[in-house]
Amino acid sequence: WKEDPWMLTSPVHDLELEHLYGFRGYDRHGNVLYTATGKTVLYTACVASVLDSASGFQRFFLGHTADLTCLALHPNGRVAASGQGGAHPRVFVWDSERLAARAAEQ
């Protein structure tokens, strides 16, 4: 085997997440919630997803670096909080419409 220089270069294409399948349900409860606008909020691995069931379109909150273990939605139906476990537990408070973090706590 001979190493070629092209093997050491980064790929030209970027990867972009299009859809999440499944969710962690075997040891978690309350991990599927509904926003005030009827969208579904759920998580799998370290990604929280907001799904528009009518169109099938998903958007993602990608702030976490470890598997999510909890999810909550404010009574206003828009502000979400998600928490990760692991060596560096962290909680994010984020807007489910804009998918922007409002606060993070470690």
Side-chain angles (χ1 to χ4, degrees):
W1 182 77
K2 184 178 178 185
E3 187 176 278
D4 287 327
W6 69 268
M7 296 173 85
L8 302 175
T9 60
S10 297
V12 177
H13 303 287
D14 291 327
L15 296 178
E16 186 175 320
L17 183 61
E18 292 180 0
H19 201 82
L20 285 179
Y21 295 93
F23 68 99
R24 185 174 176 169
Y26 69 92
D27 65 345
R28 301 290 171 220
H29 305 286
N31 57 349
V32 178
L33 305 171
Y34 301 94
T35 68
T37 59
K39 293 183 177 77
T40 306
V41 182
L42 65 147
Y43 64 85
T44 188
C46 63
V47 179
S49 169
V50 179
L51 168 67
D52 182 338
S53 298
S55 67
F57 184 71
Q58 278 185 322
R59 297 179 314 135
F60 310 103
F61 178 74
L62 302 170
H64 291 283
T65 57
D67 283 359
L68 277 85
T69 57
C70 57
L71 178 67
L73 200 57
H74 188 274
N76 70 12
R78 181 170 176 163
V79 177
S82 50
Q84 71 183 46
H88 304 285
R90 197 165 188 193
V91 174
F92 280 93
V93 176
W94 49 280
D95 186 309
S96 66
E97 292 295 319
R98 296 185 309 121
L99 299 177
R102 291 181 168 200
E105 187 68 38
Q106 198 162 356

